[in-house]
Amino acid sequence: MNGILTADDIAQAMEVAASSDGMQAAFTAVDELAQGTIGHRLFTVMRYLPDTVEVERLYSSNSSKYPPGGRKPKQGTPWGDVVLDRGEVFIAPDADGVRAAFSDHALLFQMGISAIMNVPIRFRGRVLGTMNLSHEAGHFTSDMIAPGRILAALLVPMLLEHSR
C-alpha cells in the first residue's frame, strides 16, 4: 500500500471497465486499487435498492463470508441517513462504531475487522450504491476520503449497467 492514487492507476481501472464484458473484472480492478492505496481486509460493492431501502452485495473480496447477493435493510438507520440519504462518507473508526452501525458486527470482528469506511457511489445527485472497505481499528482517516470518492466514481458505470 503506497497511499498514492495515480492517473495511471485510474486509467488502468477505467480501461478494464471499458473493455471487459463482465462487471467482476472491473470490480476486481477497483478492489486492487483500493488495496494498494487505502488498504483493506474486506472490500465489497453494494447496490442501493431505493424501493425497499436495502443494499445488495454485487461484489466481495471474501465471497465465502460475504457472498454476492446478500441484502441488508437500511431504512431508518443512522448509517442509511448518512450514506444513502445524504450521500456522505461514513467511517466507523473502531469496534464501538462498527457495533453501533452494523448488525453483522460479530462476523466482522471474527474476521479481524474493527473499522469500516463506506463511500457512496453517486451519479447525478443519486446514490447508486456503496463501496465498503473494512480494516482494523484506527486504519481509516479523513485523508482517505478523497481517494475513496475517486475509486467509488470508477464504479458508477457498473452500477448503472446493473440497474438496467
Side-chain angles (χ1 to χ4, degrees):
M1 177 177 84
N2 66 13
I4 299 170
L5 185 60
T6 69
D8 286 342
D9 293 333
I10 297 166
Q12 183 178 358
M14 291 176 72
E15 183 57 32
V16 169
S19 62
S20 176
D21 288 335
M23 285 186 282
Q24 293 307 307
F27 288 145
T28 299
V30 175
D31 176 359
E32 290 171 359
L33 267 180
Q35 181 64 272
T37 57
I38 297 172
H40 64 76
R41 290 189 176 172
L42 175 67
F43 178 91
T44 63
V45 176
M46 312 282 280
R47 76 174 172 142
Y48 178 42
L49 305 167
D51 292 343
T52 58
V53 195
E54 293 176 299
V55 290
E56 178 183 34
R57 196 173 306 106
L58 300 178
Y59 173 86
S60 173
S61 64
N62 186 339
S63 58
S64 64
K65 300 225 186 218
Y66 279 90
R71 288 187 178 191
K72 294 181 180 185
K74 293 298 177 184
Q75 187 166 18
T77 66
W79 180 93
D81 180 49
V82 171
V83 179
L84 302 176
D85 295 341
R86 296 194 319 245
E88 297 174 3
V89 173
F90 175 87
I91 296 178
D94 54 28
D96 288 340
V98 171
R99 188 178 295 108
F102 302 101
S103 61
D104 56 345
H105 60 270
L107 177 58
L108 294 166
F109 295 159
Q110 287 175 1
M111 296 171 63
I113 291 167
S114 52
I116 294 177
M117 182 168 81
N118 306 113
V119 184
I121 302 166
R122 300 174 64 210
F123 183 71
R124 293 189 177 162
R126 170 170 79 101
V127 174
L128 303 174
T130 64
M131 179 184 78
N132 313 296
L133 297 96
S134 306
H135 213 296
E136 61 193 25
H139 179 79
F140 299 109
T141 61
S142 60
D143 64 336
M144 295 175 177
I145 291 174
R149 285 196 176 276
I150 292 168
L151 293 171
L154 296 175
L155 296 167
V156 167
M158 280 67 73
L159 268 70
L160 286 173
E161 179 70 23
H162 200 277
S163 65
R164 289 183 184 181

